[in-house]
Amino acid sequence: MLLALSYSLHSLWWVAWVAPAPGIAAVSLAPIALQRRLGLAAGLLAGSSTFAYHLTVGGWATALVILSLVAAAWASVFRLAAMSAERRPALVAVLVVPAAWSAIETLMIHLSPHGSAGSIAYSQMSFLPAVQIASLGGVPAVSFVPLLAGSFAGLVLASALGSPVRGLRSAGALTAVVVGCALLFGVARLSVTRPDEGVRVAMLATDGLHERPRDWRSFRETYGPAIARAAVPGAVVLLPEAVAGMNAGEAEKAAGALSSFAHARATTIVAGVVVTDDARVTNRALVARANGRHAWYVKQHLVPGFEANMSPGDRPLMLDANLEKVGVAICKDMHFPTLGREYARAGARLMLVPALDFDVDDEMAARITALRGVEGGYSIARATRRGFSMASDPYGRILAERRSGRALSTLTATVPTVSAGPTVYATIGDAFGWLCVVGWAALVLARFLKLLSPPAVPVPALTCAKIERL
């Protein structure tokens, strides 16, 4: 249940720091025949808090597959931790759960159609000192630290309940050093003074429309007055994802008209538009620039199922001129650290993100997006329907936030664009995560080679007297 709270769409950050402990202790104390079943039960409970969300987004098949994978993964990790605690010193056993789970999340980043969504790291967004290590090792590093603390607590609990665990003091010292250094780094990084200068971004959103505009005229009638009020020289006006659905001709007509308006106001306007061009449908961001020109960004990572009829894009978009160092992405794109890192390496200081949420995932979607900024060292402005529009700085601090409603509302924030350059994570990528993959693979291999098997029960030697009696 503690794991379920850690994975919840509205999680409590401190729960993740103790969540693995009962599972490790229970599996360590259980008979071998029950260990796998206990781990599966824990995994099923862990995945239960997001089952309804996956059911809503992906349907029964997707929800059941994800729940099964979560259950199997936790069963394997708990079993591996219990075997390590039995055969190895606690100094090794304490690393099993954090290393194995960070390895699993690294594979998710690169193989899952949902990217890093579902990582336990996002539970820490309310505890910013723990999140700053993402600038060094990304999502896997953020997950590693609280799971290490929970793993040590599990070994202590198992030992107190009668399971033999060797070398707890050494494991405790290692845990204290790693956790302490991570938090000290976080506190030091957060002590940087927040700059006053930045770009003024006005984020518009409404949930009150029954259908999206299909042509330039209806788009202008719906959003024109609000855009005009927000469009001041040097500012950015940001609208959510898919606020309009147009054919290719109407889309270009809208792009020309909006670009002329942006030029007249010396502002930049970004709006999400679904464009149908013959049989090809794309989810785009229209960028009307202050120089009178426009550009299109095509969403690269589409939502499985919901956007199955759309074609993905294959390239990022960086803005130049008066908005140099500004990147554009759309909603689901920000679930993928690989894309966020690509923008960071290109020098992005601000990301503009049109988005569209599912209501129930409003808080989680905002947390995921903000963590990309910590990884890449840039600020983010995100405008969304059915969720939280927000602006965050390169440290994950929320500068402004508002939940969308039926009325058309505007959230305004001055978003800093000062950057000290790409973060370590932007430079080296998932090096820490792949190191965890290697360690996890070594542990699994050792298990299959019987190097972590329970020790054989010694058979008492037969004495001469016993032989004579026999």
Side-chain angles (χ1 to χ4, degrees):
M1 295 303 294
L2 291 173
L3 284 171
L5 288 173
S6 301
Y7 283 112
S8 169
L9 299 177
H10 304 280
S11 58
L12 302 173
W13 70 265
W14 59 268
V15 175
W17 291 73
V18 296
I24 293 172
V27 175
S28 297
L29 292 162
I32 295 175
L34 290 179
Q35 288 182 350
R36 188 171 287 104
R37 279 177 277 178
L38 277 173
L40 281 171
L44 287 170
L45 285 171
S48 64
S49 60
T50 56
F51 182 79
Y53 166 69
H54 292 302
L55 186 63
T56 301
V57 175
W60 279 99
T62 299
L64 289 173
V65 167
I66 291 176
L67 180 61
S68 300
L69 290 174
V70 170
W74 275 113
S76 172
V77 169
F78 280 143
R79 174 82 170 120
L80 195 59
M83 295 176 73
S84 298
E86 187 174 6
R87 295 289 295 180
R88 304 293 180 195
L91 190 65
V92 174
V94 75
L95 295 172
V96 171
V97 169
W101 205 254
S102 295
I104 290 171
E105 292 192 347
T106 300
L107 296 176
M108 282 172 50
I109 289 171
H110 295 275
L111 300 177
S112 170
H114 298 283
S116 64
S119 169
I120 204 168
Y122 297 115
S123 66
Q124 300 303 296
M125 286 305 294
S126 297
F127 184 43
L128 290 181
V131 171
Q132 302 309 309
I133 200 171
S135 65
L136 301 178
V139 161
V142 179
S143 298
F144 187 93
V145 174
L147 290 179
L148 177 63
S151 179
F152 177 68
L155 294 179
V156 172
L157 182 59
S159 177
L161 294 175
S163 179
V165 180
R166 294 179 288 122
L168 273 177
R169 288 186 179 180
S170 298
L174 174 66
T175 302
V177 169
V178 172
V179 172
C181 288
L183 294 182
L184 284 173
F185 172 79
V187 171
R189 195 166 188 266
L190 288 169
S191 66
V192 175
T193 303
R194 184 186 303 174
D196 295 327
E197 67 274 14
V199 175
R200 183 180 186 271
V201 182
M203 293 155 276
L204 279 59
T206 176
D207 298 339
L209 297 180
H210 295 294
E211 61 179 49
R212 58 194 178 198
R214 297 289 179 181
D215 52 39
W216 165 243
R217 179 180 177 181
S218 56
F219 177 85
R220 183 182 59 193
E221 292 174 350
T222 303
Y223 292 101
I227 293 175
R229 288 192 296 269
V232 298
V236 175
V237 180
L238 180 62
L239 280 73
E241 174 185 10
V243 292
M246 304 178 182
N247 60 40
E250 283 294 330
E252 286 300 326
K253 180 180 178 181
L258 206 58
S259 297
S260 297
F261 178 80
H263 179 58
R265 292 296 186 94
T267 190
T268 298
I269 303 170
V270 181
V273 183
V274 175
V275 179
T276 303
D277 187 0
D278 295 328
R280 186 171 184 262
V281 181
T282 50
N283 189 339
R284 306 187 192 183
L286 166 61
V287 183
R289 299 158 66 180
N291 60 9
R293 300 177 182 177
H294 70 272
W296 292 99
Y297 169 79
V298 182
K299 187 177 182 180
Q300 298 185 55
H301 296 283
L302 302 172
V303 180
F306 271 85
E307 297 177 320
N309 66 321
M310 296 184 179
S311 301
D314 59 3
R315 64 190 63 182
L317 174 64
M318 291 287 291
L319 305 181
D320 52 13
N322 65 318
L323 280 181
E324 188 176 3
K325 308 297 185 182
V326 175
V328 179
I330 299 176
C331 199
K332 187 74 174 177
D333 288 331
M334 300 306 285
H335 292 192
F336 291 80
T338 48
L339 182 61
R341 202 165 64 243
E342 185 176 357
Y343 274 109
R345 288 198 300 267
R349 296 183 178 182
L350 170 63
M351 290 295 298
L352 302 176
V353 184
L356 174 59
D357 298 333
F358 291 92
D359 289 318
V360 294
D361 65 341
D362 51 6
E363 184 179 322
M364 181 190 72
R367 290 199 305 257
I368 290 175
T369 303
L371 187 52
R372 294 290 83 78
V374 181
E375 290 174 346
Y378 45 68
S379 299
I380 296 172
R382 179 182 191 266
T384 186
R385 294 183 292 148
R386 302 174 62 182
F388 284 102
S389 294
M390 64 88 184
S392 62
D393 70 3
Y395 308 97
R397 292 179 290 216
I398 303 301
L399 309 176
E401 186 177 57
R402 176 179 289 171
R403 182 66 163 80
S404 59
R406 292 189 59 81
L408 179 57
S409 61
T410 303
L411 174 67
T412 303
T414 298
V415 186
T417 55
V418 176
S419 174
T423 60
V424 172
Y425 178 72
T427 303
I428 68 173
D430 289 307
F432 174 80
W434 289 117
L435 181 64
C436 290
V437 170
V438 172
W440 180 45
L443 287 168
V444 172
L445 181 62
R447 173 182 173 182
F448 280 105
L449 293 177
K450 308 301 182 184
L451 298 179
L452 290 178
S453 298
V457 178
V459 179
L462 293 174
T463 63
C464 292
K466 288 180 180 178
I467 293 175
E468 289 174 356
R469 284 199 298 272
L470 287 173

